[in-house]
Coordinates of all heavy atoms in Angstrom, one line a residue:
V12 N 61.4 86.7 144.4 CA 61.5 85.9 143.2 C 62.7 85.1 143.3 O 63.8 85.6 143.3 CB 61.5 86.8 141.9 CG1 61.6 85.9 140.7 CG2 60.2 87.6 141.9
K13 N 62.5 83.8 143.3 CA 63.7 82.8 143.3 C 63.9 82.4 141.9 O 63.0 81.9 141.2 CB 63.3 81.6 144.2 CG 64.5 80.7 144.4 CD 64.2 79.6 145.4 CE 65.4 78.8 145.6 NZ 65.2 77.7 146.5
L14 N 65.2 82.6 141.4 CA 65.5 82.3 140.1 C 66.4 81.0 140.0 O 67.1 80.7 140.9 CB 66.2 83.4 139.4 CG 65.5 84.7 139.4 CD1 66.4 85.8 138.8 CD2 64.2 84.6 138.5
I15 N 66.2 80.3 138.9 CA 67.1 79.2 138.6 C 68.4 79.7 138.0 O 68.3 80.5 137.1 CB 66.4 78.2 137.7 CG1 65.1 77.7 138.3 CG2 67.3 77.0 137.3 CD1 64.2 76.9 137.4
K16 N 69.5 79.2 138.5 CA 70.8 79.6 137.9 C 70.9 79.1 136.5 O 70.7 77.9 136.2 CB 71.9 79.2 138.7 CG 72.1 79.9 140.0 CD 73.4 79.7 140.6 CE 73.6 80.6 141.8 NZ 74.9 80.5 142.4
M17 N 71.2 79.9 135.5 CA 71.4 79.6 134.1 C 72.7 80.0 133.7 O 73.3 80.9 134.3 CB 70.3 80.2 133.3 CG 68.9 79.8 133.7 SD 67.5 80.5 132.7 CE 68.2 81.9 131.9
S18 N 73.2 79.5 132.6 CA 74.4 80.0 132.0 C 74.2 81.4 131.5 O 73.1 81.7 131.0 CB 74.9 79.1 130.9 OG 74.0 79.1 129.9
P19 N 75.2 82.3 131.6 CA 75.0 83.7 131.2 C 74.8 83.7 129.7 O 75.4 83.0 129.0 CB 76.3 84.4 131.6 CG 77.3 83.3 131.9 CD 76.5 82.1 132.2
P20 N 74.0 84.7 129.3 CA 73.8 84.8 127.8 C 75.0 85.4 127.1 O 75.9 85.9 127.8 CB 72.6 85.8 127.7 CG 72.7 86.6 129.0 CD 73.2 85.6 130.0
K21 N 75.1 85.2 125.8 CA 76.2 85.7 125.0 C 76.3 87.2 125.2 O 75.3 87.9 125.1 CB 76.0 85.3 123.6 CG 77.1 85.8 122.7 CD 76.8 85.5 121.2 CE 77.9 86.0 120.4 NZ 77.5 86.9 119.4
A22 N 77.5 87.7 125.3 CA 77.7 89.1 125.4 C 77.8 89.6 123.9 O 78.7 89.2 123.2 CB 78.9 89.5 126.2
Y23 N 77.0 90.6 123.5 CA 77.0 91.1 122.2 C 77.8 92.3 122.1 O 77.8 93.1 123.0 CB 75.6 91.4 121.7 CG 74.8 90.1 121.5 CD1 74.0 89.6 122.5 CD2 74.8 89.4 120.3 CE1 73.2 88.4 122.3 CE2 74.1 88.3 120.1 CZ 73.3 87.8 121.1 OH 72.6 86.6 120.9
T24 N 78.5 92.5 121.0 CA 79.3 93.7 120.8 C 78.4 94.9 120.3 O 77.2 94.6 119.9 CB 80.4 93.5 119.7 OG1 79.7 93.3 118.5 CG2 81.3 92.4 120.1
R25 N 78.9 96.1 120.4 CA 78.1 97.2 119.9 C 77.7 97.1 118.5 O 76.6 97.4 118.1 CB 78.9 98.5 120.1 CG 78.2 99.8 119.8 CD 79.0 101.0 120.1 NE 79.1 101.1 121.5 CZ 79.8 102.0 122.1 NH1 80.5 102.9 121.4 NH2 79.9 102.1 123.4
E26 N 78.6 96.5 117.6 CA 78.3 96.4 116.2 C 77.2 95.4 116.0 O 76.3 95.5 115.2 CB 79.5 95.9 115.5 CG 80.6 97.0 115.3 CD 81.4 97.2 116.6 OE1 81.5 96.3 117.5 OE2 82.0 98.3 116.7
E27 N 77.2 94.3 116.8 CA 76.1 93.3 116.7 C 74.8 93.9 117.1 O 73.7 93.6 116.5 CB 76.4 92.0 117.5 CG 77.6 91.2 117.0 CD 78.0 90.1 117.9 OE1 78.1 90.4 119.1 OE2 78.2 89.0 117.4
I28 N 74.8 94.7 118.2 CA 73.5 95.3 118.6 C 73.0 96.3 117.6 O 71.8 96.3 117.3 CB 73.8 96.0 120.0 CG1 74.1 95.0 121.1 CG2 72.6 96.9 120.4 CD1 74.5 95.6 122.4
M29 N 73.9 97.0 116.9 CA 73.5 97.9 115.9 C 73.0 97.2 114.7 O 72.0 97.5 114.0 CB 74.6 98.9 115.5 CG 74.9 99.9 116.6 SD 76.2 101.1 116.3 CE 76.7 100.9 114.6
E30 N 73.6 96.0 114.4 CA 73.2 95.2 113.2 C 71.8 94.6 113.5 O 71.0 94.5 112.5 CB 74.2 94.1 113.1 CG 73.9 93.1 111.9 CD 74.9 92.0 111.9 OE1 76.1 92.3 111.8 OE2 74.5 90.8 112.0
Q31 N 71.5 94.3 114.7 CA 70.1 93.8 115.1 C 69.1 94.9 115.1 O 67.9 94.6 115.4 CB 70.2 93.1 116.4 CG 70.9 91.8 116.3 CD 70.2 90.7 115.6 OE1 69.0 90.6 115.6 NE2 70.9 89.9 114.9
Q32 N 69.5 96.2 115.0 CA 68.6 97.3 115.0 C 67.8 97.5 116.3 O 66.6 97.7 116.3 CB 67.7 97.3 113.8 CG 68.4 97.3 112.5 CD 67.4 97.3 111.3 OE1 66.2 97.0 111.4 NE2 68.0 97.5 110.1
I33 N 68.6 97.3 117.4 CA 68.0 97.5 118.7 C 67.9 99.0 119.0 O 68.9 99.6 118.9 CB 68.8 96.7 119.8 CG1 69.0 95.3 119.5 CG2 68.2 96.9 121.2 CD1 67.7 94.5 119.5
P34 N 66.7 99.5 119.3 CA 66.6 100.9 119.6 C 67.5 101.3 120.9 O 67.7 100.5 121.8 CB 65.1 101.1 120.0 CG 64.5 100.0 119.4 CD 65.4 98.8 119.4
I35 N 68.0 102.5 120.9 CA 68.9 103.0 121.9 C 68.2 102.8 123.3 O 68.9 102.4 124.3 CB 69.3 104.4 121.7 CG1 70.2 104.4 120.5 CG2 70.1 105.0 122.9 CD1 70.7 105.8 120.0
H36 N 66.9 103.1 123.4 CA 66.3 103.0 124.8 C 66.2 101.6 125.3 O 65.9 101.4 126.5 CB 64.9 103.7 124.7 CG 63.9 103.0 123.9 ND1 63.8 103.1 122.6 CD2 62.9 102.2 124.3 CE1 62.8 102.4 122.2 NE2 62.2 101.8 123.2
L37 N 66.4 100.6 124.5 CA 66.4 99.2 124.9 C 67.8 98.6 125.1 O 67.9 97.4 125.5 CB 65.6 98.4 123.9 CG 64.1 98.7 123.7 CD1 63.5 97.8 122.7 CD2 63.4 98.5 125.0
R38 N 68.8 99.4 124.9 CA 70.2 98.9 125.1 C 70.6 99.0 126.5 O 71.4 99.9 126.9 CB 71.1 99.7 124.1 CG 70.8 99.5 122.7 CD 71.7 100.3 121.8 NE 71.3 100.2 120.4 CZ 71.9 100.8 119.4 NH1 73.0 101.4 119.6 NH2 71.4 100.7 118.2
D39 N 70.1 98.2 127.3 CA 70.5 98.2 128.7 C 71.1 96.8 129.0 O 71.6 96.1 128.1 CB 69.2 98.4 129.6 CG 68.1 97.4 129.3 OD1 68.3 96.5 128.5 OD2 67.0 97.5 129.9
S40 N 71.2 96.5 130.3 CA 71.9 95.2 130.7 C 71.1 94.0 130.2 O 71.7 92.9 130.3 CB 72.2 95.2 132.2 OG 71.0 95.2 132.9
C41 N 69.9 94.1 129.8 CA 69.1 93.0 129.4 C 69.1 92.8 127.8 O 68.4 91.9 127.3 CB 67.7 93.2 129.8 SG 67.5 93.2 131.6
V42 N 69.9 93.6 127.1 CA 69.9 93.5 125.7 C 70.4 92.1 125.2 O 70.1 91.6 124.2 CB 70.8 94.6 125.0 CG1 72.2 94.4 125.3 CG2 70.4 94.7 123.6
N43 N 71.3 91.5 126.1 CA 71.8 90.1 125.7 C 70.7 89.1 125.7 O 70.9 88.0 125.2 CB 72.9 89.7 126.7 CG 74.1 90.6 126.6 OD1 74.3 91.2 125.5 ND2 74.8 90.8 127.6
L44 N 69.6 89.4 126.3 CA 68.4 88.5 126.3 C 67.4 88.9 125.2 O 66.6 88.1 124.7 CB 67.8 88.4 127.7 CG 68.6 87.9 128.8 CD1 68.0 88.1 130.1 CD2 68.9 86.4 128.5
L45 N 67.4 90.2 124.9 CA 66.4 90.7 123.9 C 66.8 90.2 122.5 O 65.9 89.9 121.7 CB 66.4 92.2 124.0 CG 65.5 92.9 123.0 CD1 64.1 92.5 123.2 CD2 65.7 94.4 123.1
I46 N 68.0 90.2 122.2 CA 68.4 89.8 120.8 C 67.9 88.4 120.5 O 67.3 88.2 119.5 CB 69.9 90.0 120.6 CG1 70.2 91.5 120.6 CG2 70.4 89.3 119.3 CD1 71.7 91.8 120.5
P47 N 68.2 87.4 121.4 CA 67.7 86.0 121.0 C 66.2 86.0 121.0 O 65.6 85.2 120.2 CB 68.2 85.1 122.2 CG 69.4 85.9 122.7 CD 69.1 87.3 122.5
L48 N 65.5 86.8 121.8 CA 64.1 86.9 121.8 C 63.6 87.4 120.5 O 62.6 86.8 119.9 CB 63.5 87.7 123.0 CG 62.1 88.1 123.0 CD1 61.2 86.8 123.1 CD2 61.7 89.0 124.1
N49 N 64.2 88.4 120.0 CA 63.7 89.0 118.7 C 64.0 88.0 117.6 O 63.2 87.9 116.6 CB 64.4 90.3 118.5 CG 63.8 91.4 119.3 OD1 62.7 91.3 119.8 ND2 64.6 92.5 119.4
V50 N 65.1 87.3 117.6 CA 65.4 86.3 116.6 C 64.4 85.2 116.6 O 63.9 84.8 115.6 CB 66.9 85.7 116.8 CG1 67.1 84.5 115.9 CG2 67.9 86.8 116.5
C51 N 64.0 84.8 117.8 CA 63.0 83.7 118.0 C 61.7 84.2 117.4 O 61.0 83.5 116.7 CB 62.9 83.3 119.4 SG 61.6 82.1 119.7
R52 N 61.3 85.5 117.7 CA 60.1 86.1 117.2 C 60.0 86.1 115.7 O 59.0 85.7 115.1 CB 59.9 87.5 117.8 CG 59.5 87.5 119.2 CD 59.5 88.9 119.7 NE 59.0 89.0 121.1 CZ 59.1 90.1 121.9 NH1 59.7 91.2 121.4 NH2 58.6 90.1 123.1
R53 N 61.1 86.5 115.1 CA 61.2 86.6 113.6 C 61.1 85.2 113.0 O 60.4 85.0 112.0 CB 62.4 87.3 113.2 CG 62.3 88.8 113.3 CD 63.5 89.5 112.6 NE 64.7 89.3 113.3 CZ 65.3 90.1 114.2 NH1 64.8 91.2 114.5 NH2 66.5 89.7 114.7
D54 N 61.8 84.3 113.6 CA 61.8 82.9 113.1 C 60.5 82.2 113.2 O 60.2 81.4 112.4 CB 62.9 82.0 113.8 CG 64.3 82.4 113.5 OD1 64.5 83.2 112.6 OD2 65.2 82.0 114.3
N55 N 59.7 82.6 114.2 CA 58.4 82.0 114.4 C 57.2 82.9 113.9 O 56.1 82.7 114.4 CB 58.2 81.6 115.8 CG 59.2 80.5 116.2 OD1 59.0 79.4 115.7 ND2 60.1 80.8 117.0
Y56 N 57.5 83.9 113.1 CA 56.5 84.8 112.6 C 55.6 85.5 113.7 O 54.4 85.6 113.6 CB 55.6 84.1 111.6 CG 56.4 83.6 110.4 CD1 56.7 82.2 110.4 CD2 56.8 84.4 109.4 CE1 57.4 81.7 109.3 CE2 57.6 83.9 108.4 CZ 57.9 82.5 108.3 OH 58.6 82.0 107.3
Y57 N 56.3 85.8 114.8 CA 55.7 86.5 115.9 C 54.5 85.8 116.6 O 53.6 86.3 117.0 CB 55.3 87.9 115.6 CG 56.5 88.8 115.3 CD1 57.1 88.9 114.1 CD2 57.0 89.6 116.3 CE1 58.2 89.7 113.8 CE2 58.1 90.4 116.1 CZ 58.7 90.4 114.9 OH 59.8 91.2 114.7
S58 N 54.6 84.4 116.5 CA 53.6 83.6 117.2 C 53.7 83.9 118.7 O 54.8 83.9 119.3 CB 53.9 82.1 116.9 OG 53.1 81.3 117.7
P59 N 52.5 84.1 119.3 CA 52.6 84.6 120.7 C 53.0 83.5 121.7 O 53.4 83.8 122.8 CB 51.1 84.9 121.0 CG 50.3 84.3 120.0 CD 51.2 84.1 118.8
F60 N 53.0 82.2 121.3 CA 53.3 81.1 122.2 C 54.7 80.4 121.9 O 55.1 79.6 122.6 CB 52.2 80.0 122.2 CG 50.9 80.6 122.4 CD1 50.0 80.7 121.4 CD2 50.6 81.1 123.7 CE1 48.7 81.3 121.7 CE2 49.3 81.7 123.9 CZ 48.4 81.8 122.9
A61 N 55.3 80.9 120.8 CA 56.6 80.2 120.4 C 57.8 80.5 121.2 O 58.6 79.7 121.4 CB 56.8 80.5 118.9
C62 N 57.9 81.7 121.8 CA 59.1 82.2 122.5 C 58.8 82.5 123.9 O 59.4 83.5 124.4 CB 59.6 83.4 121.7 SG 59.9 83.1 120.0
E63 N 58.0 81.7 124.6 CA 57.6 82.0 126.0 C 58.8 82.0 126.9 O 58.9 82.9 127.8 CB 56.6 81.0 126.4 CG 55.2 81.2 125.8 CD 54.2 80.2 126.3 OE1 54.5 79.3 127.1 OE2 53.0 80.4 126.0
H64 N 59.7 81.1 126.8 CA 60.8 81.0 127.7 C 61.7 82.2 127.5 O 62.2 82.8 128.5 CB 61.6 79.7 127.4 CG 62.9 79.6 128.3 ND1 62.8 79.4 129.6 CD2 64.2 79.7 128.0 CE1 64.0 79.4 130.1 NE2 64.9 79.6 129.1
E65 N 62.0 82.6 126.2 CA 62.9 83.7 126.0 C 62.2 85.0 126.5 O 62.9 85.8 127.1 CB 63.2 83.9 124.5 CG 64.1 82.8 123.9 CD 63.4 81.5 123.5 OE1 62.2 81.4 123.8 OE2 64.0 80.7 122.9
R66 N 60.9 85.1 126.3 CA 60.2 86.3 126.8 C 60.2 86.4 128.3 O 60.4 87.4 128.9 CB 58.8 86.4 126.2 CG 58.1 87.7 126.5 CD 56.7 87.7 126.0 NE 55.9 86.9 126.9 CZ 55.1 85.9 126.6 NH1 55.0 85.6 125.3 NH2 54.4 85.3 127.4
H67 N 60.0 85.2 128.9 CA 60.0 85.2 130.4 C 61.4 85.6 131.0 O 61.4 86.4 131.9 CB 59.6 83.8 130.9 CG 59.6 83.7 132.4 ND1 58.6 84.4 133.1 CD2 60.4 83.1 133.2 CE1 58.9 84.1 134.4 NE2 60.0 83.4 134.5
T68 N 62.5 85.1 130.4 CA 63.8 85.4 130.9 C 64.1 86.9 130.7 O 64.7 87.5 131.6 CB 64.9 84.5 130.3 OG1 64.8 84.7 128.9 CG2 64.8 83.1 130.7
Y69 N 63.6 87.4 129.6 CA 63.9 88.9 129.4 C 63.0 89.7 130.3 O 63.5 90.7 130.9 CB 63.5 89.2 127.9 CG 63.6 90.7 127.6 CD1 64.8 91.3 127.6 CD2 62.5 91.4 127.3 CE1 64.9 92.6 127.3 CE2 62.6 92.8 127.0 CZ 63.8 93.4 127.0 OH 63.9 94.7 126.7
E70 N 61.8 89.3 130.6 CA 61.0 90.1 131.5 C 61.5 90.0 132.9 O 61.4 90.9 133.7 CB 59.5 89.6 131.4 CG 58.9 90.1 130.1 CD 57.5 89.5 129.9 OE1 57.1 88.6 130.7 OE2 56.8 89.9 129.0
V71 N 62.0 88.8 133.3 CA 62.6 88.7 134.7 C 63.8 89.6 134.8 O 64.0 90.3 135.8 CB 63.0 87.2 134.9 CG1 63.9 87.1 136.1 CG2 61.7 86.4 135.1
C72 N 64.6 89.7 133.8 CA 65.8 90.6 133.8 C 65.3 92.0 133.9 O 65.9 92.8 134.7 CB 66.6 90.4 132.5 SG 68.0 91.5 132.4
L73 N 64.3 92.4 133.2 CA 63.8 93.8 133.3 C 63.3 94.1 134.7 O 63.5 95.1 135.3 CB 62.7 94.0 132.3 CG 63.0 94.1 130.8 CD1 61.8 94.2 130.0 CD2 64.0 95.2 130.6
Y74 N 62.6 93.1 135.3 CA 62.1 93.3 136.7 C 63.3 93.4 137.7 O 63.2 94.2 138.6 CB 61.2 92.1 137.0 CG 60.7 92.2 138.5 CD1 59.7 93.2 138.8 CD2 61.2 91.4 139.5 CE1 59.2 93.3 140.1 CE2 60.7 91.5 140.8 CZ 59.7 92.5 141.1 OH 59.3 92.6 142.3
Q75 N 64.3 92.6 137.5 CA 65.4 92.7 138.4 C 66.1 94.0 138.3 O 66.6 94.6 139.3 CB 66.4 91.5 138.1 CG 65.9 90.2 138.6 CD 66.7 89.0 138.2 OE1 67.5 89.1 137.2 NE2 66.6 87.9 138.9
E76 N 66.3 94.5 137.1 CA 66.9 95.8 136.9 C 66.0 96.9 137.5 O 66.5 97.8 138.1 CB 67.0 96.1 135.4 CG 68.1 95.3 134.8 CD 69.5 95.6 135.4 OE1 69.8 96.8 135.6 OE2 70.2 94.6 135.7
Y77 N 64.7 96.8 137.4 CA 63.8 97.7 138.1 C 64.0 97.7 139.6 O 64.1 98.7 140.3 CB 62.3 97.4 137.7 CG 61.3 98.1 138.6 CD1 61.1 99.4 138.5 CD2 60.7 97.4 139.6 CE1 60.2 100.1 139.4 CE2 59.8 98.0 140.5 CZ 59.5 99.3 140.3 OH 58.6 99.9 141.2
E78 N 64.1 96.5 140.2 CA 64.3 96.4 141.6 C 65.6 97.0 142.1 O 65.7 97.6 143.1 CB 64.2 94.9 142.0 CG 62.8 94.3 142.0 CD 61.9 95.0 143.0 OE1 62.4 95.2 144.2 OE2 60.8 95.2 142.7
K79 N 66.7 96.8 141.2 CA 68.0 97.4 141.6 C 67.8 99.0 141.6 O 68.4 99.6 142.5 CB 69.0 97.0 140.6 CG 69.5 95.6 140.7 CD 70.5 95.3 139.6 CE 70.8 93.8 139.6 NZ 71.7 93.5 138.4
R80 N 67.2 99.5 140.6 CA 67.0 101.0 140.5 C 66.2 101.5 141.7 O 66.5 102.5 142.3 CB 66.3 101.4 139.2 CG 67.2 101.3 138.0 CD 66.6 101.9 136.8 NE 65.2 101.6 136.5 CZ 64.8 100.6 135.8 NH1 65.7 99.8 135.2 NH2 63.5 100.3 135.6
R81 N 65.1 100.7 142.1 CA 64.3 101.1 143.2 C 65.1 101.1 144.5 O 64.9 102.0 145.3 CB 63.1 100.2 143.2 CG 61.9 100.7 144.1 CD 60.8 99.7 144.0 NE 61.1 98.5 144.6 CZ 60.4 98.0 145.6 NH1 59.4 98.6 146.1 NH2 60.8 96.9 146.2
E82 N 65.9 100.1 144.7 CA 66.7 100.0 145.9 C 67.7 101.1 146.0 O 68.0 101.7 147.0 CB 67.4 98.6 146.0 CG 68.0 98.3 147.3 CD 67.0 98.3 148.4 OE1 65.9 97.8 148.2 OE2 67.4 98.7 149.6
T83 N 68.3 101.4 144.8 CA 69.3 102.5 144.8 C 68.6 103.8 145.1 O 69.2 104.6 145.9 CB 69.9 102.6 143.4 OG1 70.5 101.3 143.1 CG2 71.0 103.7 143.3
K84 N 67.5 104.1 144.6 CA 66.7 105.3 144.9 C 66.4 105.4 146.4 O 66.5 106.4 147.0 CB 65.5 105.4 144.0 CG 64.7 106.7 144.3 CD 63.4 106.7 143.4 CE 62.7 108.0 143.7 NZ 61.4 108.1 143.0
K85 N 66.0 104.2 146.9 CA 65.6 104.2 148.3 C 66.8 104.5 149.2 O 66.7 105.3 150.2 CB 65.1 102.8 148.7 CG 64.6 102.6 150.0 CD 64.0 101.2 150.2 CE 63.5 100.9 151.5 NZ 63.0 99.5 151.7
Q86 N 68.0 104.0 148.8 CA 69.2 104.3 149.6 C 69.6 105.8 149.4 O 70.1 106.4 150.4 CB 70.3 103.4 149.1 CG 70.2 102.0 149.6 CD 71.2 101.0 149.0 OE1 72.1 101.5 148.2 NE2 71.2 99.8 149.4
L87 N 69.5 106.3 148.2 CA 69.8 107.7 148.0 C 68.9 108.6 148.8 O 69.4 109.6 149.4 CB 69.7 108.1 146.5 CG 70.8 107.5 145.6 CD1 70.5 107.8 144.2 CD2 72.2 108.1 146.0
L88 N 67.7 108.3 148.8 CA 66.7 109.1 149.6 C 67.0 109.0 151.1 O 67.0 110.0 151.8 CB 65.3 108.8 149.3 CG 64.8 109.2 148.0 CD1 63.4 108.6 147.7 CD2 64.7 110.7 147.9
A89 N 67.4 107.8 151.6 CA 67.7 107.7 153.0 C 68.9 108.4 153.4 O 69.0 109.1 154.4 CB 67.9 106.2 153.3
N90 N 69.9 108.4 152.5 CA 71.2 109.2 152.7 C 71.0 110.7 152.6 O 71.6 111.4 153.3 CB 72.3 108.7 151.8 CG 72.7 107.3 152.0 OD1 72.6 106.8 153.1 ND2 73.3 106.7 151.0
A91 N 70.0 111.1 151.8 CA 69.8 112.6 151.7 C 69.1 113.1 152.9 O 69.4 114.3 153.3 CB 68.9 112.8 150.5
F92 N 68.3 112.3 153.6 CA 67.6 112.8 154.8 C 68.4 112.5 156.1 O 68.1 113.0 157.1 CB 66.2 112.3 154.9 CG 65.3 112.8 153.8 CD1 64.8 112.0 152.8 CD2 65.0 114.2 153.8 CE1 64.0 112.5 151.8 CE2 64.2 114.7 152.8 CZ 63.7 113.9 151.8
N93 N 69.4 111.6 156.0 CA 70.2 111.3 157.1 C 71.7 111.4 156.7 O 72.4 110.4 156.6 CB 69.9 109.8 157.6 CG 68.5 109.7 158.1 OD1 68.0 110.6 158.8 ND2 67.9 108.5 157.9
P94 N 72.2 112.6 156.6 CA 73.6 112.8 156.1 C 74.6 112.3 157.1 O 75.8 112.1 156.8 CB 73.7 114.3 155.8 CG 72.7 114.9 156.6 CD 71.5 113.9 156.8
N95 N 74.3 112.1 158.4 CA 75.2 111.7 159.4 C 75.6 110.3 159.3 O 76.5 109.8 160.0 CB 74.7 112.1 160.8 CG 74.5 113.6 161.0 OD1 75.3 114.3 160.4 ND2 73.6 114.0 161.8
K96 N 74.8 109.5 158.6 CA 75.1 108.0 158.5 C 76.3 107.7 157.7 O 76.7 108.2 156.8 CB 73.9 107.3 158.0 CG 72.8 107.0 159.0 CD 71.8 106.1 158.4 CE 70.9 105.6 159.5 NZ 70.0 104.6 159.0

């Protein structure tokens, strides 16, 4: 997946995340993209086509995080079976 470089999203404080009522299980490295997505959804009455760009960037972030976890697991398993490396 080739991504277009964009400016980094605003970094939210713990208080701002709690104020937005983000559930704990969604407070990962992509939360900085989830908050603007939720604001857009509320502003547009959850119209399915209004926040496509925000939703896409959030989903790309989730996929990249998944790929990082998968690669880490792959490396851990390789090291577990080849401790001499």
